[in-house]
Amino acid sequence: AQSVSQHNHHVILSEAASLELGCNYSYGGTVNLFWYVQYPGQHLQLLLKYFSGDPLVKGIKGFEAEFIKSKFSFNLRKPSVQWSDTAEYFCAVNAPGNTPLVFGKGTRLSVIA
Amino acid sequence: DAGITQSPRHKVTETGTPVTLRCHQTENHRYMYWYRQDPGHGLRLIHYSYGVKDTDKGEVSDGYSVSRSKTEDFLLTLESATSSQTSVYFCAISVGAGDTQYFGPGTRLTVL
């Protein structure tokens, strides 16, 4: 069975600090990978996705993620966070075919001034 | 934002009563999903549908049933609500199973 691990449950950063959130998955085949963001009181929105091609994926709001197949990882990065990035971040993975996404438990990011 | 609406947006009900949540989409996507979100558990898939009258169970399907009689509507029913079903419920849609999922605004359900 697939699983997705997000090891950081809560990250607290000061504004302008760099961000890296970890995501590891257990599936060994070809996968589609996603990062979603959920701002307080809102629904999940897509930040970025990887299906194939360049393993460095750029998303909205200055976020990027790097797919490292050998490490089964898809870490999310942002060079300089803002207070408005305070949210919960979810990694998700899906094996192509008729398999629904499997979500990690999420990482809560708090950005303080 | 994708055209997804959920109704009701908030509901308070009592233990033992039936509850139906509705998800409506205007995108004509084949796949529809119901998730529940609880602190410490992230998102958990309840049921999903891959076409009209075609549904399958997810990770936490016990106590829930679904129906999809039209492409645009996916109903989630709690036959006899329990306090453990207090949660925020999200509907999502996608073109295919491996494609990007788009989420609705959520329904906050409280079972007293």
Side-chain angles (χ1 to χ4, degrees):
Chain A
Q2 299 177 61
S3 70
V4 179
S5 298
Q6 294 183 243
H7 304 293
N8 308 107
H9 298 295
H10 188 194
V11 173
I12 303 173
L13 294 174
S14 298
E15 278 192 312
S18 63
L19 169 72
E20 181 161 3
L21 301 181
C23 174
N24 290 91
Y25 59 95
S26 62
Y27 188 68
T30 302
V31 294
N32 298 337
L33 297 156
F34 305 81
W35 275 100
Y36 283 83
V37 60
Q38 185 178 30
Y39 297 105
Q42 297 188 24
H43 61 280
L44 274 75
Q45 303 169 46
L46 182 69
L47 260 185
L48 49 79
K49 61 186 178 184
Y50 173 81
F51 283 15
S52 63
D54 189 343
L56 185 61
V57 181
K58 294 195 183 299
I60 60 171
K61 304 187 181 186
F63 286 91
E64 65 179 29
E66 184 176 12
F67 169 52
I68 302 179
K69 188 173 182 178
S70 61
K71 294 184 178 180
F72 300 91
S73 69
F74 189 55
N75 291 355
L76 181 71
R77 300 195 294 246
K78 185 172 184 178
S80 176
V81 295
Q82 302 172 314
W83 178 82
S84 58
D85 293 324
T86 294
E88 191 150 17
Y89 293 81
F90 293 91
C91 181
V93 63
N94 160 265
N98 297 322
T99 309
L101 296 187
V102 176
F103 284 83
K105 294 193 184 303
T107 297
R108 185 156 64 101
L109 172 66
S110 300
V111 180
I112 56 177
Chain B
D1 284 346
I4 311 169
T5 57
Q6 292 184 230
S7 58
R9 294 293 313 279
H10 301 272
K11 187 170 181 66
V12 179
T13 191
E14 294 187 349
T15 298
T17 60
V19 176
T20 295
L21 308 183
R22 178 180 183 240
C23 177
H24 178 79
Q25 61 148 328
T26 58
E27 306 296 323
N28 202 35
H29 284 0
R30 180 182 174 194
Y31 282 77
M32 298 186 75
Y33 311 83
W34 277 108
Y35 292 91
R36 60 179 291 175
Q37 185 176 29
D38 305 286
H41 292 277
L43 276 176
R44 292 183 291 178
L45 181 64
I46 304 171
H47 282 280
Y48 68 101
S49 168
Y50 46 95
V52 173
K53 299 191 190 304
D54 292 323
T55 65
D56 206 348
K57 295 180 179 180
E59 177 188 357
V60 289
S61 59
D62 287 349
Y64 301 94
S65 63
V66 290
S67 66
R68 192 169 178 198
S69 58
K70 298 185 291 185
T71 299
E72 58 266 35
D73 290 325
F74 192 33
L75 304 180
L76 177 71
T77 297
L78 291 65
E79 300 290 348
S80 178
T82 67
S83 59
S84 64
Q85 294 175 312
T86 292
S87 186
V88 179
Y89 291 85
F90 287 99
C91 173
I93 64 173
S94 67
V95 173
D99 293 325
T100 303
Q101 288 187 16
Y102 299 94
F103 285 81
T107 294
R108 183 173 295 276
L109 176 67
T110 302
V111 183
L112 301 176

